[in-house]
Amino acid sequence: MPERCAPSLPLRADLVGEQPYGAPQLDVPHLLNVNENPYPPPAEVVADIAAAVTEAAGTLNRYPDREFRDLRADLAAYLTAESAATGLTTDHLWAANGSNEVMLHLLLAFGGPGRTVMSFAPTYSMYPEYARDSLTTWKAGTRRADFSVDVAEAIEQIRTERPSVVLLASPNNPTGTALDSADVRALAEATADSGPDGGATVLVIDEAYAEFRREGRPSAVTLLGEFAHLAVARTMSKAFALAGARLGYLAAAPELVDWLRVVRLPYHLSAVTQAVARAALRHTGVLQAQVAELRVRRDETVTWLRERGLEVADSDANFILFGRYPDRHEVWQGLLDRGVLIRETGPQGYLRVSIGTREDMAAFRGALEEVTGR
């Protein structure tokens, strides 16, 4: 942080030297660095959202619906249809300003001083920050060389650490790798008594990119009826093309959701946010029309990268991790100089590219060939 002339402030010791989170936001022709959906909402969706916001604007002198039960009911209906889940009701759903806030609610409720949250690296770079902000100890387990999770080894590490929360992204960010149902079930069974006092560990499956997964990988939502300590996080940022709306949500047993209600800030979801999300959910089919197309383009890009001798992680998301480069920053800068912004993240030597439009990906391929000669 820049130094300013100010009195000494009582900053928490664990924040000294920390920097705010943030990927570069640059004005370039091809933005492929933060896993956004490259297609804006269609005009008919924009019109419906605008009408809903106009209606909400007439009530902005009042606080919003604190429990947002109508939105939760709509989200329950969407998940039921999308994942063939059974028994999901309004009480099983929670929502907040992005899945980031959902995750923070989870750690405020189930983490804290003297407790541990665990994940398996490499994984989403915000997980340690949720731990830090909630004063929860962070522990990172390990993955296989191909970035998949060795479930038997993971269970052993969990039983050693006895965490109160385990965060597992599926598909994982930044690698794109996903868990299958058998793996999630095994982890759910093992975490039923792996908590710090012999009780359950809250197992969170972060499915921010779930709509992009390949066939044969059902959502962990289908297991919620069997495991009261399982929570499944989702977002409308990716498949719904609503990154700017900031709406993330979670499905879990009602008793788990009730504890999130305790730690949330008052009226944390604005009336405008609720109106936008509900309007978007009325257009699920239209908003997700390009998801299948993006999956095809992802798989084509994986093949193209591998044909050039690069190491590429299997991806069930709308992005690809690839490498390895002796100097990945040089490659990143070379692409940026040619108008293509991707992400310098993950293990050393690797880069991550989001899947964009056909034009975006053609520009990416051309720029990469120019920079690397292959």
Side-chain angles (χ1 to χ4, degrees):
M1 296 289 288
E3 293 185 7
R4 297 182 176 91
C5 296
S8 178
L9 298 173
L11 184 68
R12 280 171 32 189
D14 60 320
L15 296 180
V16 173
E18 293 284 353
Q19 297 291 323
Y21 172 85
Q25 290 184 305
L26 305 175
D27 184 13
V28 298
H30 304 285
L31 297 170
L32 301 174
N33 69 322
V34 288
N35 306 336
E36 295 160 324
N37 190 317
Y39 299 105
E44 65 191 89
V45 182
V46 172
D48 198 0
I49 288 174
V53 170
T54 298
E55 183 178 352
T59 68
L60 292 182
N61 59 308
R62 303 295 185 186
Y63 286 112
D65 177 2
R66 184 175 55 238
E67 300 299 335
F68 53 96
R69 292 189 64 83
D70 290 340
L71 172 57
R72 290 159 71 186
D74 290 349
L75 290 167
Y78 166 70
L79 279 183
T80 297
E82 187 264 353
S83 61
T86 57
L88 281 181
T89 69
T90 301
D91 293 332
H92 289 86
L93 269 292
W94 187 243
N97 295 285
S99 55
N100 303 98
E101 189 177 32
V102 170
M103 294 292 183
L104 186 58
H105 286 170
L106 283 161
L107 290 195
L108 289 174
F110 302 109
R115 293 192 166 193
T116 298
V117 57
M118 187 174 186
S119 191
F120 297 85
T123 193
Y124 186 33
S125 60
M126 278 298 297
Y127 289 166
E129 297 197 20
Y130 304 146
R132 179 200 67 198
D133 294 348
S134 61
L135 303 179
T136 309
T137 299
W138 165 253
K139 292 286 185 180
T142 56
R143 291 173 177 262
R144 295 187 179 107
D146 65 356
F147 306 125
S148 64
V149 174
D150 184 322
V151 173
E153 185 176 337
I155 290 171
E156 183 178 340
Q157 293 178 62
I158 290 168
R159 292 200 175 280
T160 298
E161 297 294 342
R162 313 295 293 186
S164 59
V165 180
V166 167
L167 302 175
L168 269 169
S170 181
N172 185 45
N173 183 7
T175 65
T177 44
L179 298 162
D180 61 33
S181 287
D183 291 339
V184 177
R185 178 180 293 279
L187 287 160
E189 290 172 348
T191 50
D193 61 356
S194 65
D197 302 313
T201 295
V202 175
L203 175 63
V204 183
I205 305 299
D206 182 355
E207 292 188 344
Y209 302 93
E211 286 89 350
F212 296 97
R213 64 191 185 275
R214 288 173 286 183
E215 296 296 327
R217 294 194 188 277
S219 169
V221 169
T222 58
L223 300 177
L224 288 175
E226 301 178 52
F227 301 102
H229 63 291
L230 174 64
V232 183
R234 289 287 192 95
T235 183
M236 295 184 73
S237 293
K238 312 302 181 183
F240 279 89
L242 284 181
R246 307 308 300 132
L247 196 290
Y249 59 102
L250 169 145
E255 53 268 36
L256 190 156
V257 169
D258 279 346
W259 289 117
L260 305 185
R261 295 171 59 228
V262 171
V263 299
R264 58 98 185 271
L265 293 173
Y267 311 105
H268 72 290
L269 272 185
S270 77
V272 171
T273 299
Q274 294 179 45
V276 170
R278 295 197 69 206
L281 285 162
R282 292 194 286 270
H283 299 273
T284 295
V286 173
L287 283 169
Q288 297 188 2
Q290 288 89 11
V291 167
E293 174 193 331
L294 291 170
R295 283 199 297 256
V296 171
R297 197 167 298 140
R298 171 200 64 204
D299 294 343
E300 290 173 348
T301 305
V302 166
T303 299
W304 184 86
L305 290 166
R306 285 177 174 163
E307 286 173 349
R308 277 142 188 82
L310 294 166
E311 296 180 28
V312 185
D314 290 332
S315 179
D316 278 85
N318 67 333
F319 57 84
I320 300 167
L321 187 76
F322 67 98
R324 302 180 188 178
Y325 295 106
D327 186 346
R328 70 175 178 181
H329 183 73
E330 181 180 25
V331 177
W332 177 88
Q333 186 64 58
L335 293 175
L336 181 59
D337 293 342
R338 290 161 176 80
V340 179
L341 178 61
I342 66 171
R343 189 74 182 271
E344 212 175 347
T345 189
Q348 282 299 317
Y350 283 89
L351 295 164
R352 191 193 69 196
V353 60
S354 306
I355 302 302
T357 65
R358 192 172 302 280
E359 294 72 23
D360 288 330
M361 302 317 293
F364 164 72
R365 292 192 299 271
L368 190 63
E369 287 181 325
E370 287 185 16
V371 172
T372 65
R374 58 173 176 170

